[in-house]
Amino acid sequence: MPTLTIEYQTESERLILEQAVAFLTQMRPVAATAPDGTVLGACERVALDSGRRLVRDTLASAVQDRANTTDAKKKSARGSRGGARGGS
């Protein structure tokens, strides 16, 4: 069986990647077992539920990562200014 190696930068990125894999894993048996003529509808239901959750979590993660980065930059800038004054 083929394998896939994925590199990620943050824990939140890892969680989103795991959710994406779970989404695909969930979709395959739905498509394989849906009666003829209902495959698209069955897959759409999964996409609307699990897919919407995946997109929402991905967006929330991106916003949180951005906020964390901004906070870290602000803290670093404050620390740099304080260090420069303390040395004078």
Side-chain angles (χ1 to χ4, degrees):
M1 175 180 266
T3 60
L4 173 67
T5 302
I6 300 174
E7 294 183 18
Y8 55 89
Q9 302 294 321
T10 65
E11 184 66 13
S12 60
E13 210 174 281
R14 180 189 65 80
L15 292 171
I16 292 298
L17 290 166
E18 286 181 0
Q19 284 181 304
V21 170
F23 174 75
L24 292 173
T25 301
Q26 181 183 11
M27 186 69 75
R28 292 181 64 87
V30 170
T33 60
D36 289 349
T38 66
V39 175
L40 183 57
C43 290
E44 284 177 339
R45 282 189 294 280
V46 172
L48 288 173
D49 180 37
S50 298
R52 185 177 286 140
R53 189 177 320 114
L54 176 62
V55 170
R56 183 183 60 237
D57 291 351
T58 301
L59 292 172
S61 177
V63 169
Q64 186 61 53
D65 286 347
R66 174 62 186 259
N68 292 345
T69 300
T70 301
D71 286 348
K73 286 180 181 178
K74 285 179 182 178
K75 287 178 184 176
S76 176
R78 281 193 301 256
S80 296
R81 287 192 307 258
R85 280 188 246 160
S88 297

